Amino acid sequence: MRDAATRLIGEHDFRNFCKLDPSKQIENFNRRVLAAWIERVEVDQTGDEANQETGGFEGEGANCDEDLYVFNLKGTAFLWHQVRCIMAILFLVGQRLENPSVVDHLLHTSPSSSKSLDSPPIESKPNYTLADSLPLVLWDCGYKAEDVTWKTDPIAQTKQGVAQDQEKTHNFWFNMYSIWTHDRIQTTMQSYFLRATERFYSTPTTSSDGTLVRLNTGGGIYRHTTRYTPILELDRGERAEVANTKWREGATGQRRMAKRNTKSKNIDHD
């Protein structure tokens, strides 16, 4: 997975790693990924009670004690569902259903996009399933110092403003603490339920039991299929240019384009 992730770094055409929305009329799918890496999540001591006692259950199932990993992606901008599409492909690589080179093939969108691949370019996205949205978090945004001028509300500098800020801070902290406590209790309970289940059912050791293939899409969600179809063999959607043209020429597209043109003219007059 780490090998596949590093292949994303740089400026590429990510049309095969996003969900197409013709109403946006996007023509440029080039985006720059500055960094992409996978690291183990460090669990703090306060969240580890579930592993200290087994509650009388013999043995500890591997599923209770699995490590968590986070995929970090840093870029200048992202397309619609780009991160979920990327994660879907990384999951397939991690399950050894795809080779890391599948990333190179999906980024090969035109004859000039890759000099190392002899295969034809993939000009439209294969119809693969998105990764689950549960773990997806926009963690941070950064701006160049010369692009932003930060301003502070004058009231915030007064005694009244400081008191209001402290109250908001306390309320926010307790809200977050409440959510964390709720989910921590749920996690602990589910851990014991899982251990109880393992007393009667064996723990699966592979992503396939011979008849079904379990595809991990993240967030604890698995998709089952009797036969896995490689990404490069899947049916593909319409090319972006075709989908954009159909939308523009359709009734909805014509109405919206007319409104956009009207707004643009009004702005020019102002």
Side-chain angles (χ1 to χ4, degrees):
M1 290 179 72
R2 289 189 171 95
D3 181 3
T6 58
R7 297 169 189 246
L8 299 164
I9 298 174
E11 184 170 342
H12 305 284
D13 186 322
F14 282 95
R15 68 181 62 217
N16 294 325
F17 286 95
C18 72
K19 190 171 182 179
L20 188 62
D21 183 2
S23 67
K24 298 294 190 297
Q25 291 291 288
I26 296 176
E27 298 178 352
N28 182 5
F29 294 87
N30 279 26
R31 297 294 184 272
R32 180 178 294 277
V33 170
L34 303 175
W37 73 99
I38 299 171
E39 60 184 349
R40 182 176 178 272
V41 176
E42 297 295 334
V43 180
D44 59 37
Q45 295 180 354
T46 58
D48 202 33
E49 288 86 355
N51 295 330
Q52 293 178 4
E53 297 182 5
T54 60
F57 301 138
E58 295 181 2
E60 296 186 9
N63 288 342
C64 290
D65 303 316
E66 287 182 345
D67 289 333
L68 289 177
Y69 289 81
V70 59
F71 170 58
N72 299 285
L73 190 65
K74 183 178 180 181
T76 55
F78 297 102
L79 297 161
W80 189 32
H81 289 329
Q82 180 180 342
V83 179
R84 291 178 64 187
C85 287
I86 288 174
M87 200 64 241
I89 299 301
L90 293 183
F91 274 135
L92 294 175
V93 173
Q95 294 175 91
R96 292 178 170 80
L97 294 170
E98 295 286 348
N99 189 281
S101 63
V102 70
V103 173
D104 298 326
H105 286 280
L106 291 173
L107 293 175
H108 181 35
T109 59
S110 67
S112 60
S113 62
S114 176
K115 296 180 180 180
S116 60
L117 294 177
D118 296 329
S119 58
I122 300 177
E123 298 180 337
S124 60
K125 175 180 171 291
N127 295 323
Y128 57 85
T129 303
L130 291 176
D132 192 77
S133 62
L134 176 62
L136 178 61
V137 177
L138 175 59
W139 186 251
D140 195 10
C141 292
Y143 306 90
K144 293 181 179 179
E146 60 270 21
D147 292 341
V148 179
T149 301
W150 298 103
K151 296 182 179 180
T152 304
D153 186 348
I155 299 178
Q157 306 299 322
T158 65
K159 187 175 181 180
Q160 177 186 359
V162 172
Q164 291 176 348
D165 185 61
Q166 288 179 344
E167 181 181 0
K168 291 179 181 178
T169 300
H170 292 162
N171 290 339
F172 178 76
W173 187 92
F174 278 111
N175 285 337
M176 293 302 299
Y177 180 77
S178 176
I179 295 172
W180 175 79
T181 302
H182 176 274
D183 290 349
R184 181 183 173 194
I185 292 171
Q186 288 275 21
T187 300
T188 303
M189 292 172 60
Q190 295 299 337
S191 178
Y192 279 100
F193 294 156
L194 182 57
R195 286 197 174 96
T197 301
E198 290 173 344
R199 297 175 63 187
F200 306 99
Y201 299 93
S202 59
T203 304
T205 56
T206 65
S207 60
S208 173
D209 60 6
T211 57
L212 284 177
V213 179
R214 289 180 289 274
L215 303 178
N216 183 11
T217 60
I221 304 299
Y222 289 82
R223 187 169 64 88
H224 296 82
T225 180
T226 55
R227 176 182 176 273
Y228 175 72
T229 303
I231 290 292
L232 301 184
E233 297 178 14
L234 290 173
D235 293 334
R236 299 173 187 175
E238 291 181 319
R239 293 171 58 240
E241 296 80 5
V242 174
N244 285 342
T245 300
K246 284 185 177 180
W247 185 87
R248 282 197 308 270
E249 295 177 351
T252 302
Q254 290 182 2
R255 286 197 302 270
R256 292 191 184 179
M257 294 298 290
K259 288 183 179 179
R260 291 177 187 177
N261 293 334
T262 301
K263 288 182 179 179
S264 178
K265 290 179 181 179
N266 291 337
I267 292 174
D268 291 339
H269 287 311
D270 293 341

